[in-house]
Amino acid sequence: MFSKILIANRGEIALRIIRACHELNIEAVAVYSEADKEAPYLQLADEAICIGPADCSKSYLNIASIISAAEITDVEAIHPGYGFLAENTEFAQICGECGITFIGPPVEAMKNLGDKVMARKIAKQAKVRCVPGSVGTIEDGPEALKLANDMGYPVIIKASAGGGGRGMRIVHNDISLRSAINSARAEAEVAFGNGDVYMEKFIVEPRHVEVQVMADSKGHAVHFYERDCSIQRRHQKMVEESPCPILDKKTREELCGSALRIIKESKYVNAATVEFLLDKDKNFYFIEANARIQVEHPVTEMVTGHDLIKLQLQIASGMPLTLTQKNIKLNGVAIECRVNAEDPDNNFSPCPGRITRYIPPGGFGVRVDTHVHQGWNVSPTYDSMIAKVIVHQKTRTEAITTMKRALGEFIIEPIKTTIPACLEILSHNLFVKSEVDTGFIERNF
Ligand code: MV4
């Protein structure tokens, strides 16, 4: 096992990783920007190093600065958390060249899954159903027109290097197809430096269901069941839960088995999330895979009882998974609500500022993952997510009750947060019945 690692991230996930390190007797080196120098989790770290100014490109995204910090502190590995450099193949490669273990997948697997056209090919080789669509990339010519007509509109154009909703165009007819392809291409070129796009049949009002998997370097892989992340607004998830409340046992087995086949086919190591769309008839289709730990990983931890960050550290250090699939059982229901410093009455615009009163919830079945505290100044420079409230109960009904109770207790003043919006979602009868899809927020709020 490692004796010392560096955490190339900030906020709640940096604190989450520090805690896992300490339970494994690993020294944790934190890095921070000038804007985060007062963060109390830096005191919990065994060492803390300033890596630059508030601006992310000069600190948390500054590869040279982070590698320097790792060299100076003589760490064996770097955990990238989520966001920032977590899926940056150049960073993972440089870590390797410097003799530092990147706590994540091998560069090759990361490149293959990061390229969505390649990921579709891998999924097909693994005999996993993808959304019907183009075999590879498409041009704005007659072939695209023919494919769209063969499948029938609507279709969706996606950037091969994209993800999370950027560089996508929904197309309803022949007339707008060419311009959609060209504008998606242009947007992808600017955003990702790669203009490749592909086409899929547009699945109307799907649920977003994702499978947590973990693979070791010996070729052994297990899944930790699925999360339903359908409650999202403009591609930002707001409420996540595990398990997906509408899956039957057989579909769940097929879904999780499919995710594992993709992971094995791509020679993947460490934590991954395999994303699927679930249509009205409960058919699932692979869409993409994320090569990182995700924000919503705690719901999976609560229902399976396994610490995913510890497993990441063990696997990255070369240890084999001692877990077998039959040791991973679903127990109860977990729900997570993201608390963002945003104003729901003002189009969810960021609402930074100093927190003068802060009282977090607690009690039976409640977990709060956060780095904030009374007196903390929420910076406008970073992501607006400031806390995650996770509840775990025997049934979904009880989980909703506990979450409403916990969010009701949570005092964060004077900044505006998404707590009232989450409470509205939890009280909505369609959410209670779980008759939701990815358009739920836009249609109902
Ligand atoms: C889709 C889709 C429907 N059909 N693909 C959104 C983020 C990215 N991970 C994939 N996404 C989607 N892919 C097919 N074939 C619906 C979404 C989607 C969405 C699309 C447009 C506008 C809002 C959306 C919200 C959630 C999901």
Side-chain angles (χ1 to χ4, degrees):
M1 177 45 81
F2 303 125
S3 54
K4 191 176 186 184
I5 73 155
L6 180 141
I7 299 155
N9 214 300
R10 63 178 299 280
E12 69 87 18
I13 195 65
L15 176 53
R16 170 76 189 83
I17 300 165
I18 291 170
R19 287 174 167 151
C21 285
H22 287 170
E23 291 188 17
L24 291 171
N25 267 316
I26 300 170
E27 283 187 72
V29 177
V31 297
Y32 62 95
S33 74
E34 283 164 18
D36 283 330
K37 65 175 185 287
E38 308 289 341
Y41 66 82
L42 299 176
Q43 306 296 313
L44 270 187
D46 298 277
E47 284 175 66
I49 291 210
C50 185
I51 49 165
D55 182 354
C56 296
S57 66
K58 297 191 172 105
S59 50
Y60 298 108
L61 288 172
N62 184 342
I63 295 177
S65 196
I66 288 167
I67 296 288
S68 302
E71 299 280 9
I72 289 164
T73 54
D74 199 25
V75 298
E76 297 153 81
I78 297 182
H79 196 309
Y82 52 68
F84 295 126
L85 297 170
E87 286 169 287
N88 185 314
T89 52
E90 187 195 343
F91 178 62
Q93 183 150 352
I94 291 171
C95 285
E97 286 162 4
C98 296
I100 300 164
T101 303
F102 177 78
I103 302 172
V107 173
E108 202 56 30
M110 205 165 158
K111 278 186 184 157
N112 285 338
L113 290 182
D115 175 338
K116 314 294 170 204
V117 167
M118 181 64 85
R120 269 169 73 84
K121 286 183 182 154
I122 291 168
K124 283 177 195 160
Q125 276 162 20
K127 302 215 171 352
V128 173
R129 186 169 352 114
C130 296
V131 188
S134 58
V135 174
T137 57
I138 54 160
E139 311 282 331
D140 68 335
E143 281 155 48
L145 207 59
K146 180 173 186 316
L147 178 62
N149 279 281
D150 288 350
M151 292 196 295
Y153 289 99
V155 299
I156 184 166
I157 310 300
K158 296 181 175 181
S160 185
R166 286 210 292 171
M168 297 192 334
R169 295 286 184 282
I170 301 162
V171 188
H172 294 277
N173 51 53
D174 284 352
I175 300 162
S176 43
L177 184 64
R178 285 188 66 131
S179 66
I181 291 171
N182 289 317
S183 66
R185 190 185 276 297
E187 191 177 313
E189 186 64 58
V190 172
F192 315 113
N194 173 356
D196 287 352
V197 297
Y198 61 106
M199 188 195 295
E200 284 177 357
K201 172 86 183 156
F202 183 69
I203 309 291
V204 179
E205 299 181 354
R207 295 175 84 109
H208 172 128
V209 181
E210 56 185 36
V211 179
Q212 178 70 57
V213 292
M214 194 72 81
D216 69 14
S217 51
K218 324 286 173 197
H220 181 41
V222 290
H223 70 77
F224 295 77
Y225 303 97
E226 78 285 355
R227 300 183 283 259
D228 190 321
C229 303
S230 300
I231 307 296
Q232 41 179 283
R233 183 188 168 275
R234 300 196 179 164
H235 305 295
Q236 290 297 316
K237 293 166 187 162
M238 296 184 74
V239 179
E240 303 103 343
E241 61 185 278
S242 183
C244 169
I246 62 145
L247 280 191
D248 55 69
K249 218 173 162 209
K250 182 163 167 283
T251 312
R252 172 168 297 121
E253 291 290 304
E254 286 170 4
L255 178 81
C256 297
S258 297
L260 275 181
R261 291 205 301 280
I262 291 174
I263 287 318
K264 287 180 177 161
E265 187 74 32
S266 63
K267 301 206 177 359
Y268 198 88
V269 181
N270 219 295
T273 298
V274 185
E275 295 188 1
F276 297 87
L277 296 178
L278 193 63
D279 73 11
K280 289 268 181 291
D281 301 320
K282 302 190 188 179
N283 299 307
F284 60 82
Y285 307 90
F286 167 74
I287 48 168
E288 55 190 76
N290 300 314
R292 59 165 191 279
I293 195 74
Q294 289 195 276
V295 173
E296 59 272 23
H297 77 275
V299 292
T300 300
E301 295 185 322
M302 300 321 286
V303 293
T304 63
H306 294 287
D307 183 326
L308 296 172
I309 307 288
K310 275 197 202 171
L311 286 170
Q312 281 196 293
L313 293 165
Q314 287 163 339
I315 286 167
S317 77
M319 290 166 65
L321 271 169
T322 51
L323 263 177
T324 57
Q325 194 62 58
K326 68 174 189 306
N327 297 129
I328 307 174
K329 291 205 170 70
L330 264 180
N331 174 27
V333 172
I335 304 179
E336 172 178 277
C337 285
R338 297 192 188 192
V339 178
N340 296 348
E342 291 170 0
D343 185 356
D345 294 328
N346 189 14
N347 202 27
F348 290 86
S349 57
C351 200
R354 193 170 299 280
I355 297 170
T356 55
R357 204 157 96 91
Y358 177 82
I359 306 175
F364 188 93
V366 179
R367 163 176 171 182
V368 182
D369 279 20
T370 186
H371 67 294
V372 313
H373 59 96
Q374 194 151 309
W376 177 248
N377 189 22
V378 179
S379 165
T381 309
Y382 305 118
D383 190 274
S384 63
M385 196 188 73
I386 55 172
K388 307 186 298 203
V389 178
I390 306 103
V391 300
H392 184 210
Q393 276 287 13
K394 286 190 291 300
T395 65
R396 188 169 186 273
T397 306
E398 290 166 292
I400 293 172
T401 301
T402 302
M403 182 62 89
K404 286 198 214 165
R405 188 270 292 168
L407 291 182
E409 285 177 15
F410 209 162
I411 297 174
I412 305 177
E413 291 173 357
I415 61 171
K416 295 274 193 354
T417 74
T418 48
I419 289 173
C422 287
L423 280 168
E424 277 190 56
I425 292 164
L426 295 165
S427 296
H428 199 288
N429 74 317
L430 291 176
F431 178 80
V432 172
K433 289 193 281 185
S434 203
E435 288 175 14
V436 302
D437 60 73
T438 50
F440 173 78
I441 300 284
E442 271 82 4
R443 278 199 309 279
N444 294 292
F445 294 95

